[in-house]
Amino acid sequence: MAIAPFLLAIYFASLTIYRSVAVTILTSPDELKSSQYDFVVIGGGTAGLVVATRLTEDPKVRVLVVEAGGRNEGVLNSIVPYFAVQLLGTSSDWNFTTVPQTGLLNRTLPIARGHILGGSSSINRLDYTRGSNDLYDRWANLTGDPSWSWASLEKYYLRSSRLVPPTDGRDTTGDVDPSTHGFGPIQVSLVSLPAELDARVVNTSRLLGGRFDYTQDWNSGNSIGIGHTQCSIGQGVRSSSAVAYLDPLIDSSSRPNLSILINTVVTKLLPSEASHGVPEFKTVELGQVNSNSRFRVSATKEVVLSAGAIGTPHILMLSGIGPKEVMTPLGITTLVDLPSVGQNLTDHPLIQTHFLVNSTKTFDDVLRNETLAQQTFAQWNTTRQGLFAGPSGGTIGFLRLPSDSPLLSRFGDPASGPHSPHIELIFANAFGAVGVSVPATGNFMSISTGVVSPLSRGFITLISSDPFGKPLLNPNFLDNDFDVFAMVQALKDMQSFISTDPWRGIVIGPTGQLVDATTDEQLQLYARNASVSLNHSIGTARMSPFSAEWGVVNPDLLVKGTRGLSVVDASVFPSIPECHTQAPTYIVAERAVDFIKRGMACVLVELGLSEG
Ligand SMILES: Cc1cc2nc3c(=O)[nH]c(=O)nc-3n(C[C@H](O)[C@H](O)[C@H](O)COP(=O)(O)OP(=O)(O)OC[C@H]3O[C@@H](n4cnc5c(N)ncnc54)[C@H](O)[C@@H]3O)c2cc1C
Ligand SMILES: *[C@@H]1O[C@H](CO)[C@@H](O)[C@H](O)[C@H]1NC(C)=O
Ligand SMILES: *[C@@H]1O[C@H](CO)[C@@H](O)[C@H](O)[C@H]1NC(C)=O
Ligand SMILES: *[C@@H]1O[C@H](CO)[C@@H](O)[C@H](O)[C@H]1NC(C)=O
Ligand SMILES: *[C@@H]1O[C@H](CO)[C@@H](O)[C@H](O)[C@H]1NC(C)=O
Ligand SMILES: *[C@@H]1O[C@H](CO)[C@@H](O)[C@H](O)[C@H]1NC(C)=O
Ligand SMILES: *[C@@H]1O[C@H](CO)[C@@H](O)[C@H](O)[C@H]1NC(C)=O
Ligand SMILES: *[C@@H]1O[C@H](CO)[C@@H](O)[C@H](O)[C@H]1NC(C)=O
Ligand SMILES: *[C@@H]1O[C@H](CO)[C@@H](O)[C@H](O)[C@H]1NC(C)=O
Ligand SMILES: *[C@@H]1O[C@H](CO)[C@@H](O)[C@H](O)[C@H]1NC(C)=O
Ligand SMILES: *[C@@H]1O[C@H](CO)[C@@H](O)[C@H](O)[C@H]1NC(C)=O
Ligand SMILES: *[C@@H]1O[C@H](CO)[C@@H](O)[C@H](O)[C@H]1NC(C)=O
């Protein structure tokens, strides 16, 4: 992916703006002043920073966070919303790749994950959708624990994010429903530069109604329809877990008991003792790239694994917690035989189609005119307004399959419930974003089609016991025929949406492979040839009922067959949300904090009894 050289130049020129402040962040295990903390949180990502900052609200609680990546501060591509795509394939990205995907004509796909404080919330594409109420009610059903139902989780959602105005100061009445939003640190806003395209999308949805009907707010519990994109952006800058939960504490002196160790990889967990044959994992081994030195730190209360849907199963298997037949051949002693570790990997497939349009109001020129790009950056730099304060599109649609779709009778309904979609449409007012090479002339819009209730399941497995090596990733995209057929339905919906009156004289036609795809067979081939990952990996350390024969964590997020170890990140999701996955991750993390605090209270009671 070519990065426009002039935008890189802007990036380097601007690094000096962000003066680094004196902070208590450690960059090497040598600098650790203690080898014991109450909690060690593995991964300073989306969920990990929520857990660490919430637990240390109690000044007596000492937490160490260990993060493989570096600081988010000063990383302009992470700060400027429009520049997000330029982070892919950099030191802020783990750069994972899948094995050849049979369902995708044997193509391999790159998979991004954040390698930076804030994790994937520091590099993602900012869409903020919490999913339907049905989603969480299904989680309650799948785990057998009513405390995962929406009624019980709503307070954690409200605690995690809040709605703020876009920086252009326009009246957003009717475009969003403030009453469904909360009061938490993550700032959520509509885009700051609405495009003509967005008005056309909304007009069309009002005109068509039915499956395409306008929806005022995704985050109201009913997550179907077409409406305005909400983004994790506040005051024109990215609002990640690092920016929203951590940064305000770094600049104050109110958290003496929170330590953050960056540029350091957790190489494995070590068993400390076994009680009644159940091993306890409260010691963590650390190291740095290109160094053979290893360090150990221990948690007196709990180790919280928040390394994400790829990192978490990787660390578990390196530690001897996972499928025995995977670990034994690599010389790893099985301490807990948990066959579900790494299994059931689920992700959303997506295709971006570009259309040539008869409009001069697209954003393509910014991507090919250096002067205009610099002006646009200067506008962002001085006012936090304009195109760079958001993504290149302000509308999304989440649709259900037609109610008479033969897919529903053939495959059953894979969605969580009647308010949950099967497919997604994302509109962008340009050929692509910064970093994507754009044709030298022409005006474009792009529509991405995705399957958000896929039935394909893949896995992550170990191929080496080297903790600095990469695990094998096989998401099995489009392995299940439902996903192929649903993608074809999404492509047809896209085409019928823009074949309506509001688009007459505007859409000239698609570019690329879709031009020649007219029959279902051709559309299926296009789906297999063009799908990429939406980078929504989940489910590799699934929650399951206490009594289940499968699963990795219990509904209280403690790892089955162990003591002192829990998982808090997107790997515990018992099913894939029919939405983008950051908001559900924040909900799980805020919910987990209460589990952990309750666990602490129980320990204190136990101690009290044994001492008394
Ligand atoms: C490119 C991209 C675009 C996306 N777009 C959107 C979007 O628009 N909207 C949306 O809602 N979601 C989006 N997502 C998905 C969403 O960001 C993730 O689902 C969510 O952030 C996952 O959070 P997590 O806490 O599970 O993991 P992460 O946030 O990835 O955190 C894991 C952390 O653990 C660290 N780590 C891993 N292994 C180790 C180790 N061995 N030692 C130490 N540290 C380790 C990592 O460096 C990372 O910081 C996107 C994701 C990506 C990558
Ligand atoms: C924790 O923070 C408090 C201040 O709130 C401080 O007095 C105490 O020394 C700290 N404890 C440790 C172990 O750093
Ligand atoms: C990802 O790849 C880029 C380009 O090769 C590299 O510079 C970067 O260090 C890689 N990321 C990590 C975490 O290794
Ligand atoms: C994909 O690879 C498999 C195994 O190598 C092969 O049998 C199959 O024909 C390939 N499919 C395509 C479409 O190339
Ligand atoms: C989950 O839903 C199924 C199907 O509706 C139902 O049979 C089952 O009893 C539910 N399980 C729990 C634990 O609620
Ligand atoms: C959308 O509809 C409104 C109200 O009918 C109209 O004023 C506006 O021009 C339309 N916009 C587009 C881009 O079609
Ligand atoms: C995958 O998840 C399903 C529930 O969605 C479960 O029934 C199955 O046992 C899981 N497989 C493994 C290997 O954990
Ligand atoms: C590039 O943008 C600048 C500023 O808007 C404009 O003056 C100039 O004409 C543009 N150049 C080209 C080649 O379009
Ligand atoms: C951004 O603004 C700051 C002042 O706020 C200035 O110092 C810096 O040079 C500007 N950067 C660019 C690239 O214009
Ligand atoms: C483009 O739009 C103009 C009116 O704005 C119209 O006259 C022209 O026919 C359109 N061109 C195409 C190819 O549709
Ligand atoms: C797949 O797409 C590529 C371009 O990205 C094209 O060259 C190739 O012919 C396509 N293959 C099929 C089978 O359509
Ligand atoms: C997901 O990440 C990969 C790897 O960086 C990237 O190629 C792909 O475009 C991303 N997907 C989306 C929809 O942004």
Side-chain angles (χ1 to χ4, degrees), residues 50-101:
V50 174
V51 171
T53 56
R54 288 293 187 204
L55 288 176
T56 52
E57 282 172 358
D58 178 346
K60 292 190 293 297
V61 174
R62 300 178 70 216
V63 173
L64 174 70
V65 175
V66 184
E67 167 56 41
R71 296 219 35 202
N72 59 300
E73 195 201 25
V75 180
L76 199 71
N77 287 337
S78 178
I79 299 165
V80 184
Y82 200 78
F83 289 179
V85 71
Q86 295 190 115
L87 291 160
L88 302 178
T90 69
S91 60
S92 301
D93 179 2
W94 281 84
N95 306 325
F96 291 111
T97 309
T98 70
V99 294
Q101 298 291 283

Side-chain angles (χ1 to χ4, degrees), residues 368-533:
R368 50 191 174 207
N369 179 335
E370 176 166 354
T371 313
L372 188 54
Q374 270 164 3
Q375 287 171 353
T376 309
F377 181 75
Q379 182 190 16
W380 177 84
N381 198 22
T382 50
T383 65
R384 297 291 186 262
Q385 291 180 13
L387 179 60
F388 290 173
S392 52
T395 37
I396 315 196
F398 287 100
L399 311 180
R400 286 187 55 81
L401 291 168
S403 53
D404 61 354
S405 167
L407 296 187
L408 294 174
S409 39
R410 180 166 162 198
F411 295 92
D413 184 351
S416 298
H419 303 296
S420 306
H422 303 105
I423 56 191
E424 175 171 14
L425 304 177
I426 308 174
F427 298 86
N429 190 42
F431 191 86
V434 174
V436 175
S437 48
V438 52
T441 57
N443 288 94
F444 299 90
M445 74 165 175
S446 307
I447 306 180
S448 298
T449 47
V451 178
V452 292
S453 63
L455 284 177
S456 302
R457 300 286 180 267
F459 59 87
I460 288 169
T461 194
L462 268 196
I463 42 174
S464 153
S465 59
D466 175 6
F468 295 94
K470 283 183 176 153
L472 180 149
L473 250 71
N474 185 358
N476 263 328
F477 279 113
L478 304 193
D479 174 56
N480 188 298
D481 284 344
F482 172 84
D483 302 357
V484 184
F485 299 146
M487 186 65 93
V488 168
Q489 179 65 47
L491 292 166
K492 289 178 175 175
D493 285 335
M494 167 183 83
Q495 286 168 318
S496 49
F497 191 76
I498 59 172
S499 303
T500 53
D501 259 351
W503 304 85
R504 208 136 289 158
I506 297 290
V507 180
I508 298 169
T511 63
Q513 305 282 309
L514 190 60
V515 175
D516 303 317
T518 46
T519 65
D520 274 24
E521 287 69 30
Q522 287 164 338
L523 288 170
Q524 286 169 24
L525 187 61
Y526 177 63
R528 294 195 187 281
N529 198 26
S531 288
V532 300
S533 164

Side-chain angles (χ1 to χ4, degrees), residues 43-47 66-68 88 94 112-116 118-121 123-127 264-266 306-308 315 535-536 569-570 580-582 585:
T46 313
V66 184
E67 167 56 41
L88 302 178
W94 281 84
R113 291 283 98 196
H115 180 263
I116 179 175
S120 298
S121 75
I123 72 162
N124 71 18
R125 300 295 283 278
L126 305 148
D127 289 314
T264 303
V265 170
V266 168
S306 297
I315 294 169
N535 295 307
H536 288 171
D569 60 28
H580 296 225
T581 45
Q582 65 170 335
T585 306

Side-chain angles (χ1 to χ4, degrees), residues 54-330:
R54 288 293 187 204
L55 288 176
T56 52
E57 282 172 358
D58 178 346
K60 292 190 293 297
V61 174
R62 300 178 70 216
V63 173
L64 174 70
V65 175
V66 184
E67 167 56 41
R71 296 219 35 202
N72 59 300
E73 195 201 25
V75 180
L76 199 71
N77 287 337
S78 178
I79 299 165
V80 184
Y82 200 78
F83 289 179
V85 71
Q86 295 190 115
L87 291 160
L88 302 178
T90 69
S91 60
S92 301
D93 179 2
W94 281 84
N95 306 325
F96 291 111
T97 309
T98 70
V99 294
Q101 298 291 283
T102 314
L104 303 183
L105 314 178
N106 291 341
R107 289 182 299 127
T108 61
L109 293 183
I111 303 279
R113 291 283 98 196
H115 180 263
I116 179 175
L117 276 179
S120 298
S121 75
S122 290
I123 72 162
N124 71 18
R125 300 295 283 278
L126 305 148
D127 289 314
Y128 204 81
T129 51
R130 70 138 165 108
S132 67
N133 294 358
D134 298 337
L135 168 68
Y136 303 96
D137 292 343
R138 179 196 252 184
W139 286 8
N141 179 287
L142 290 172
T143 58
D145 181 345
S147 80
W148 285 102
S149 67
W150 177 252
S152 309
L153 288 180
E154 182 175 16
K155 65 171 184 275
Y156 301 107
Y157 166 65
L158 298 175
R159 208 176 268 185
S160 65
S161 63
R162 69 180 189 276
L163 185 69
V164 299
T167 53
D168 64 351
R170 71 179 183 280
D171 180 7
T172 57
T173 309
D175 295 349
V176 62
D177 177 2
S179 74
T180 67
H181 290 264
F183 45 83
I186 299 294
Q187 301 191 32
V188 175
S189 56
L190 300 179
V191 303
S192 286
L193 184 69
E196 184 192 54
L197 171 77
D198 299 323
R200 184 164 286 116
V201 168
V202 169
N203 284 4
T204 309
S205 95
R206 290 208 155 104
L207 179 80
L208 290 175
R211 291 176 61 231
F212 298 96
D213 207 0
Y214 177 70
T215 188
Q216 195 183 343
D217 201 306
W218 307 116
N219 294 324
S220 65
N222 176 357
S223 61
I224 53 179
I226 287 181
H228 295 280
T229 311
Q230 298 178 18
C231 297
S232 44
I233 298 174
Q235 285 83 51
V237 305
R238 177 187 292 271
S239 188
S240 62
S241 67
V243 169
Y245 280 85
L246 179 65
D247 288 353
L249 307 178
I250 291 178
D251 295 334
S252 74
S253 53
S254 66
R255 283 306 151 91
N257 294 327
L258 173 57
S259 306
I260 313 267
L261 172 59
I262 58 169
N263 302 334
T264 303
V265 170
V266 168
T267 52
K268 64 173 157 177
L269 312 169
L270 297 163
S272 25
E273 60 181 65
S275 163
H276 306 291
V278 181
E280 181 175 86
F281 290 88
K282 288 188 177 171
T283 300
V284 174
E285 187 190 80
L286 318 170
Q288 290 189 303
V289 178
N290 299 328
S291 160
N292 293 326
S293 306
R294 294 289 182 270
F295 301 81
R296 287 181 183 188
V297 290
S298 297
T300 54
K301 299 201 166 75
E302 204 168 296
V303 168
V304 179
L305 193 41
S306 297
I310 299 174
T312 285
H314 189 205
I315 294 169
L316 286 172
M317 288 186 274
L318 288 170
S319 312
I321 306 170
K324 189 172 192 198
E325 70 278 11
V326 168
M327 302 184 297
T328 306
L330 297 172

